[in-house]
Amino acid sequence: MARSWSFFLPFALALIASVGDAAVVEHTFNVGNLSISQLCQPDRIITAVNGQLPGPTIQASEGDTVVVHLVNESPYSMTIHWHGIFQRGSQWADGPAMITQCPVRPGGNYTYRFNVTGQEGTLWWHAHISFLRATVYGALVILPRSGYPFPKPDREEILILGEWWNANVVDLQEMAFLTGFPARQADAYTINGKPGDLYNCSAPNQKHRFEVRQNETCLLRIINAALNTPLFFKVANHSFTVVAADACYTTPYKTDVVVIAPGQTVDALMAADAAVGGRYYMAASPYDSGVPSGPPFSRTVATAVLGYDGGAPNTTTPPALPRMPEFRDTDTAHGFLSNLTALVLPGRPTVPLAVDTRMFVTVGMGVADCRPEQTLCNRSSTVFASSMNNASFVAPGNTSMLQAHYDNVTSGVYTRDFPDTPPVVFDYTSDASDNATMQYTTKSTRVKTLRYNQTVEMVLQNTRLIAKESHPMHLHGFNFFVLAQSFGNYDEATAVPQFNLVNPQERNTIAVPTGGWAVIRFVADNPGIWYMHCHFEAHLDLGLGMVFEVQDGPTPDTSVPSPPGDLPLCT
């Protein structure tokens, strides 16, 4: 039955109010050298934004336009990725080097401009070139215009978890590439750029602190900015209610531990219900998902201190330390990551039920021949590589993929032949899959081309070719629904009945279970070139990525716009 205009009037007025209230949020990011001392080591130079670690927080409201002027005063080429932002109509601002833009060279500048309509919650930004996101990162918070769908917290705190090296990370990355072997593990984990005081260092500026009042509710915006490490996060004598993940609201989920993979964010309410004057450690420790021998994680713990206002603090007794999960506690990790569900709200996207394109994609580690540029490589043997469906991704060197797509001149830049299935069907996750024939892969720049508005269902299947491991797979330009996830080889007959088609969690980064699989579904309604890759930086460098090419839609509003005038050139 047709509805009268009076039915739509409240919605129209709300939309007009939202548009009318929209603002332009403008920042200048001066990327340059910062002298800093960590872990009682001598001062060393890192690359940072505005002399801060982490970099500045960008706070906007839903519907705002964000403008960031990047001024590159560092000795390295630079790009910034706005992790989780859809970039509808602003595809040139997505940021990954040679995918959607050429890097900003030292001494250069570029203005990123994008809109945050239809998104709210905790996201983040980071460098998307080399290992520079080890120190070039910060929070991006999008506030709702109509309030939270949970009781308003008394205060909010951003907690960015990271990794720290007592070495130049660009040099580490360069040596890893030249030799074909992954860079060494971090020297420490950090919370808001500081390792805490459980390391063998007692410098007073080494830990982050924040204060609450008794009986307050605090919204913790937790971000994993680590290069290579999933993390457990706990606060001694406190528990959480998770209310969002990757800037998508969740059904309230009670837990005493947060598990968060690189690239992911979690919003969690914490009741300040401990004693006045008390002090409690917040702690982050690694989840080592590798079997039999995962990446060389540093088995240490980063800490920060939660204190209570309103009473004399107990400074003679050390803060209480939470009991952290064991480093290989896959049960705890999987329990957290698989039990989140979406909070279904009016007007929010729901999972599409009809599927146009189905893909079965293996992800994991393997080996490949040395490339000519790998001058320190042992050419009598193979080196580490990683791949999706046995295609090990290499970014082009002279033209960005989005430029080639826009110009419709893709020859020599990429090919449209990324496979929907692996070349060989085998026992993906058993020890028997550890053989040299299956491990071998080749380097290429292959994309999967999609028609505008296609619905894609992708099975992400981990492999055991070298080691079982949880890979955090991030998709640029879209959120996706996680229909199911489990261990072993994917079996359609038993998996499909498990699909959650009612309130599946919505994310932009999925931690595919170690030795297991996950099924995701999304609608390709955002034209352009969109990277999908493992958010372990070491694995990305080794080729664990691919690209979706989404064709233009029927109207100018569903097409890739002309490139901005200040877009950096590759040559």
Side-chain angles (χ1 to χ4, degrees):
M1 182 176 69
R3 298 188 185 272
S4 70
W5 281 106
S6 62
F7 174 84
F8 294 101
L9 184 59
F11 300 97
L13 291 175
L15 177 61
I16 292 170
S18 176
V19 172
D21 291 341
V24 175
V25 177
E26 193 164 5
H27 288 259
T28 297
F29 278 14
N30 291 301
V31 182
N33 290 340
L34 171 64
S35 178
I36 188 172
S37 173
Q38 299 270 50
L39 304 178
C40 293
Q41 298 290 311
D43 282 9
R44 74 174 189 84
I45 301 299
I46 65 170
T47 304
V49 174
N50 294 356
Q52 301 173 226
L53 180 67
T57 294
I58 294 176
Q59 182 171 291
S61 295
E62 188 278 328
D64 286 350
T65 295
V66 176
V67 177
V68 179
H69 306 287
L70 171 64
V71 181
N72 188 8
E73 300 169 341
S74 82
Y76 309 111
S77 293
M78 178 60 58
T79 69
I80 302 290
H81 171 52
W82 315 95
H83 187 110
I85 297 294
F86 298 147
Q87 302 293 357
R88 299 185 191 277
S90 53
Q91 290 87 336
W92 301 95
D94 191 44
M98 302 312 300
I99 310 301
T100 57
Q101 72 165 96
C102 299
V104 180
R105 297 182 181 277
N109 59 80
Y110 177 53
T111 295
Y112 292 93
R113 183 185 299 270
F114 54 89
N115 190 268
V116 293
T117 297
Q119 297 189 261
E120 52 192 60
T122 305
L123 295 172
W124 64 300
W125 57 265
H126 60 80
H128 212 304
I129 185 170
S130 182
F131 277 14
L132 284 166
R133 76 172 175 89
T135 55
V136 179
Y137 61 82
L140 199 171
V141 175
I142 307 172
L143 300 175
R145 290 198 176 274
S146 55
Y148 298 115
F150 48 82
K152 183 179 179 180
D154 298 296
R155 68 176 66 204
E156 301 183 6
E157 184 74 8
I158 295 170
L159 298 171
I160 308 183
L161 314 181
E163 287 174 297
W164 173 263
W165 279 263
N166 289 327
N168 183 302
V169 293
V170 176
D171 292 345
L172 288 175
Q173 187 272 343
E174 179 69 11
M175 186 57 66
F177 172 75
L178 292 176
T179 61
F181 288 93
R184 66 174 177 82
Q185 76 272 20
D187 293 292
Y189 304 113
T190 59
I191 299 176
N192 285 356
K194 299 179 179 181
D197 50 14
L198 295 191
Y199 294 92
N200 293 324
C201 178
S202 58
N205 63 344
Q206 295 289 290
K207 60 177 175 285
H208 173 72
R209 299 178 175 87
F210 80 97
E211 305 286 323
V212 295
R213 290 188 175 275
Q214 193 177 41
N215 297 323
E216 283 186 330
T217 299
C218 185
L219 177 62
L220 303 181
R221 299 183 180 272
I222 308 166
I223 300 167
N224 188 345
L227 256 65
N228 299 312
T229 309
L231 294 163
F232 297 112
F233 177 82
K234 297 185 76 171
V235 180
N237 295 6
H238 292 74
S239 60
F240 313 111
T241 300
V242 174
V243 292
D246 291 359
C248 297
Y249 293 117
T250 63
T251 305
Y253 179 73
K254 295 185 181 300
T255 179
D256 69 346
V257 60
V258 167
V259 186
I260 185 166
Q264 293 183 329
T265 71
V266 171
D267 289 359
L269 297 173
M270 184 189 72
D273 52 9
V276 172
R279 295 189 305 149
Y280 305 88
Y281 273 131
M282 300 176 282
S285 65
Y287 164 47
D288 184 349
S289 66
V291 178
S293 57
F297 292 156
S298 171
R299 294 193 166 186
T300 56
V301 179
T303 56
V305 174
L306 169 69
Y308 275 70
D309 286 339
N314 182 350
T315 58
T316 59
T317 303
L321 183 67
R323 182 176 180 180
M324 302 303 292
E326 293 297 320
F327 297 111
R328 290 186 180 273
D329 191 346
T330 290
D331 288 344
T332 293
H334 184 68
F336 178 91
L337 293 168
S338 63
N339 279 315
L340 298 179
T341 56
L343 181 64
V344 179
L345 296 169
R348 298 290 182 179
T350 56
V351 60
L353 300 181
V355 176
D356 302 304
T357 296
R358 299 182 190 274
M359 303 176 69
F360 184 97
V361 180
T362 54
V363 295
M365 298 292 293
V367 296
D369 292 330
C370 293
R371 295 165 62 186
E373 313 94 279
Q374 294 178 286
T375 55
L376 299 181
C377 186
N378 180 0
R379 301 193 179 279
S380 64
S381 181
T382 54
V383 295
F384 284 114
S386 52
S387 66
M388 300 175 69
N389 275 354
N390 208 43
S392 188
F393 184 82
V394 179
N398 297 315
T399 303
S400 77
M401 297 178 72
L402 184 59
Q403 187 73 59
H405 166 85
Y406 179 81
D407 294 338
N408 198 27
V409 182
T410 61
S411 177
V413 183
Y414 62 83
T415 59
R416 294 183 170 105
D417 59 348
F418 183 84
D420 287 346
T421 57
V424 178
V425 176
F426 61 100
D427 187 352
Y428 305 107
T429 58
S430 77
D431 291 348
S433 71
D434 186 6
N435 66 77
T437 301
M438 299 297 183
Q439 287 178 1
Y440 186 78
T441 183
T442 55
K443 297 291 183 178
S444 61
T445 309
R446 307 169 76 179
V447 311
K448 171 66 177 178
T449 301
L450 301 171
R451 297 188 314 275
Y452 176 78
N453 229 27
Q454 271 188 286
T455 296
V456 180
E457 181 177 289
M458 178 185 284
V459 178
L460 292 165
Q461 172 69 64
N462 258 327
T463 65
R464 163 63 177 82
L465 292 174
I466 289 181
K468 295 178 185 177
E469 189 174 351
S470 174
H471 295 279
M473 301 302 297
H474 171 49
L475 177 61
H476 291 225
F478 304 93
N479 284 344
F480 50 75
F481 295 95
V482 182
L483 305 188
Q485 52 187 309
S486 192
F487 299 100
N489 296 329
Y490 176 79
D491 176 36
E492 183 177 0
T494 58
V496 171
Q498 300 177 38
F499 282 7
N500 180 353
L501 301 176
V502 177
N503 63 342
Q505 59 178 295
E506 188 179 355
R507 303 203 76 137
N508 61 57
T509 305
I510 172 72
V512 182
T514 180
W517 51 267
V519 182
I520 66 173
R521 192 179 288 182
F522 68 96
V523 179
D525 58 358
N526 193 7
I529 292 287
W530 304 111
Y531 212 0
M532 185 176 194
H533 61 85
C534 180
H535 225 274
F536 290 157
E537 200 69 26
H539 292 181
L540 175 59
D541 267 21
L542 293 170
L544 216 172
M546 55 85 65
V547 167
F548 284 106
E549 178 187 45
V550 180
Q551 296 174 335
D552 284 354
T555 66
D557 288 343
T558 57
S559 302
V560 176
S562 301
D566 61 345
L567 190 70
L569 300 176
C570 289
T571 55

